[in-house]
Amino acid sequence: MASDDVANLADSLAKTQVDESELSYKGQGLKLDNAQSVEKMVKAIEEFDGLRALRLEGNTIGVEAAQTIAKALQKKSDLQCCHWSDMFTGRLRAEIPPALNSLGDALITAGARLKVLDLSDNAFGPDGVKGIEKLLKSTACHTLQELGRHCCILAAALTVCHKESSALGAPLQLKVFIAGRNRLENDGATALAQAFQLIGSLEEVHMPQNGINHPGVTALATAMQHNPQLRVLNLNDNTFTKRGAIAMAEALKHLRNVQVINFGDCLVRSEGASAIAETLREGLPILKELNLSFGEITEEAALEVARSVQHKDQFEKLDLNGDICNSLHELSDDEGEPEEDDDEEEEDDDDDDEDVEEEEEEEEEDEEEEGEGEEEKSELNQFSTPPSAPRTPDVSTFLSFPSPDKLLRLGAKRSFLIQQQVDVSDVSKTVEAFLKISSVYKEDDAEVKSAVLESIDAVLCKAFLTPSFQGLSFMSSLLVMLGLLKSEDKLKPVKVVPGHLQCLEHAVKQSYFPREHITVLNAFMARPNKSLEPCSSARDRLKSTLQKLTPES
């Protein structure tokens, strides 16, 4: 039942396009391990005259299967579009480079001239990128117009490709770059920015959910100025803050063809929004869409933005969802303190949505840590003879019998220790850890709240960024344990407490949490369920957040 529900929801999101020159296996969920498993596919490729596009996204392909497909591609010189995103789910990281090498070598051998190469949503890290380095530097990619992927090696390969193609009198004219959820972070974004500045032909850039902070955003802003034909800029769910937003606003002053800007969930803050509004008043004449949702913007700044677009003839959509309410509720202490904003960005790049208030709590926690040991010692010595230092609880003890006190006594490194303890290769253990940690959440205790959320982030970030992690299985198991889905194995749900739902609400807003899982969770939360009735307030908040985050169909 669980897999059927998830599959139906996933199918409703998928849109397949097929034309006469395209062979598509998109979203079929095929597990292709060996030569036998791809026999029919290989035959179809071999018999397809004039093949120009091959869609393999949404399947999982092993080394032997990739090598077999590659042999069939060696004679497909007309191939121009390779849609190969989300192609290695559940595969070991070591499997990915040889699989990519085989496919890349085949395209080079065939003499293909690619226009589209989409390898996005394959979180395979630097080693995986090495698997396509040779292809990107080859003549097969000199004609590339659309690319989706990841990181510093990719940036270097693009630079080489541009220089070599320029030497041949036909410079690389990359038009579309897509790299969603690829863990670029600041180093990757900065490296790519250098390549983008050199190339100068980009029309669309999509880099959502990549953990990019203001240094990376600033580097990208500089690069965008050198791409005058840019039409679409999507950096959704990265962390601009004021400095990154102001840098991007300055860059946009140099562009005239931008039609769509998506800086949603980027924490542009009020000063950043005001800077963007100033740019809008002066330029961007053909802008159609602007998304600054969930940017922690005050009402005054939001009104500035709204007024700045009201006279644009082609403007169609302004999204400021979640800004004014959030800013009034959460940011009264934040807006006037940019120094703390800066510290947050530099010290905690891995948690994109960490707010300044939590940063202050963590600093206070560190200061209080020194005195904790002596207080515990005095307290415990009342019951111990002879006197001795207290035994610090270990992670196993906490996870077996969780309590707020045990969590705090794990010390400042608690999130790291818990992250190391939880085996994310085991979905059930990951779900269990999430439920145990979140069960001690206290909304009215700042120290406990901060400790719980940072521990939750550590575990789930590790899980979702592990290529072999089974995300849908995690969601199914979590839904079962929360009583939202019947178990085929007759598992008994936990007694749901507000902390479970409050921590889940926090998690879905983080950059590591896959957007597609939010759609699934929203569908189940929309159903009436008695197990959540004792936590009606937390349930309603979670439902509201999910509805805001769920893409419109």
Side-chain angles (χ1 to χ4, degrees), residues 401-413:
F401 304 99
S403 73
D405 180 63
K406 288 177 185 174
L407 178 62
L408 295 180
R409 286 170 59 196
L410 288 174
K413 295 184 178 180

Side-chain angles (χ1 to χ4, degrees), residues 271-552:
E271 291 183 59
S274 295
I276 292 171
E278 180 184 347
T279 297
L280 291 170
R281 284 193 295 270
E282 298 174 356
L284 301 177
I286 61 172
L287 187 68
K288 294 181 178 179
E289 296 183 16
L290 174 64
N291 183 351
L292 298 179
S293 61
F294 298 96
E296 297 190 350
I297 301 171
T298 61
E299 181 177 4
E300 182 180 357
L303 288 172
E304 277 189 71
V305 173
R307 294 188 188 107
S308 71
V309 299
Q310 63 182 351
H311 298 302
K312 292 191 179 295
D313 295 337
Q314 299 184 40
F315 198 79
E316 298 173 357
K317 181 178 180 181
L318 174 62
D319 190 348
L320 295 174
N321 188 28
D323 284 323
I324 299 173
C325 294
N326 284 348
S327 62
L328 294 177
H329 182 66
E330 298 173 357
L331 297 182
S332 58
D333 295 329
D334 176 52
E335 285 298 321
E337 300 177 7
E339 293 82 8
E340 292 178 5
D341 178 302
D342 296 345
D343 290 342
E344 172 196 357
E345 294 165 355
E346 293 168 4
E347 294 174 10
D348 196 8
D349 288 345
D350 291 332
D351 189 354
D352 295 345
D353 292 331
E354 192 77 38
D355 60 27
V356 174
E357 191 171 279
E358 290 175 326
E359 185 73 20
E360 293 172 344
E361 292 164 5
E362 290 174 355
E363 291 172 1
E364 292 170 2
E365 178 184 78
D366 292 339
E367 293 171 1
E368 294 169 359
E369 200 68 58
E370 297 177 3
E372 268 189 83
E374 289 302 316
E375 293 173 5
E376 293 171 355
K377 189 171 185 177
S378 173
E379 197 174 63
L380 291 173
N381 278 349
Q382 299 176 30
F383 306 98
S384 59
T385 303
S388 60
R391 179 185 177 188
T392 302
D394 58 21
V395 176
S396 297
T397 302
F398 165 69
L399 290 176
S400 298
F401 304 99
S403 73
D405 180 63
K406 288 177 185 174
L407 178 62
L408 295 180
R409 286 170 59 196
L410 288 174
K413 295 184 178 180
R414 65 179 69 85
S415 60
F416 173 77
L417 296 173
I418 292 173
Q419 184 189 65
Q420 296 302 306
Q421 178 77 16
V422 177
D423 179 9
V424 297
S425 66
D426 188 322
V427 167
S428 61
K429 289 181 179 178
T430 308
V431 171
E432 182 182 7
F434 170 81
L435 294 172
K436 290 287 184 70
I437 299 168
S438 59
S439 69
V440 304
Y441 179 88
K442 289 186 175 181
E443 181 68 32
D444 57 354
D445 189 322
E447 187 177 15
V448 172
K449 176 181 177 179
S450 177
V452 168
L453 294 182
E454 71 178 28
S455 300
I456 289 293
D457 286 338
V459 171
L460 294 187
C461 186
K462 176 184 177 182
F464 285 120
L465 295 184
T466 298
S468 59
F469 184 67
Q470 300 293 319
L472 286 177
S473 296
F474 171 85
M475 288 303 302
S476 296
S477 180
L478 180 62
L479 291 168
V480 167
M481 297 309 293
L482 292 176
L484 300 174
L485 186 64
K486 291 183 179 179
S487 170
E488 297 175 351
D489 301 320
K490 297 183 179 180
L491 294 175
K492 185 178 179 181
V494 298
K495 181 181 178 181
V496 180
V497 298
H500 292 145
L501 305 183
Q502 290 165 322
C503 289
L504 189 54
E505 183 195 5
H506 166 83
V508 299
K509 294 187 288 186
Q510 307 310 305
S511 61
Y512 58 69
F513 201 94
R515 302 293 99 173
E516 61 268 25
H517 295 349
I518 292 175
T519 303
V520 174
L521 186 58
N522 184 48
F524 281 95
M525 285 297 298
R527 301 175 178 179
N529 194 287
K530 292 183 179 180
S531 68
L532 304 185
E533 288 180 358
C535 313
S536 58
S537 178
R539 176 200 62 194
D540 293 343
R541 282 178 52 188
L542 174 58
K543 288 172 66 175
S544 176
T545 297
L546 290 170
Q547 288 168 4
K548 292 176 182 176
L549 295 175
T550 300
E552 295 181 3

Side-chain angles (χ1 to χ4, degrees), residues 126 129 147 149-160 174 177 179 183-199 202 207 212-213 215-224 227:
V129 178
L147 177 63
R149 212 21 257 151
H150 170 91
C151 216
C152 301
I153 298 172
L154 172 57
L158 284 173
T159 301
V160 171
L174 184 64
F177 182 87
R183 296 180 291 175
L184 293 174
E185 300 180 343
N186 290 330
D187 289 344
T190 302
L192 284 168
Q194 294 172 354
F196 293 165
Q197 185 168 331
L198 178 67
I199 293 168
L202 286 166
M207 299 171 65
I212 305 171
N213 294 82
V217 173
T218 301
L220 289 170
T222 300
M224 293 306 106
N227 287 267

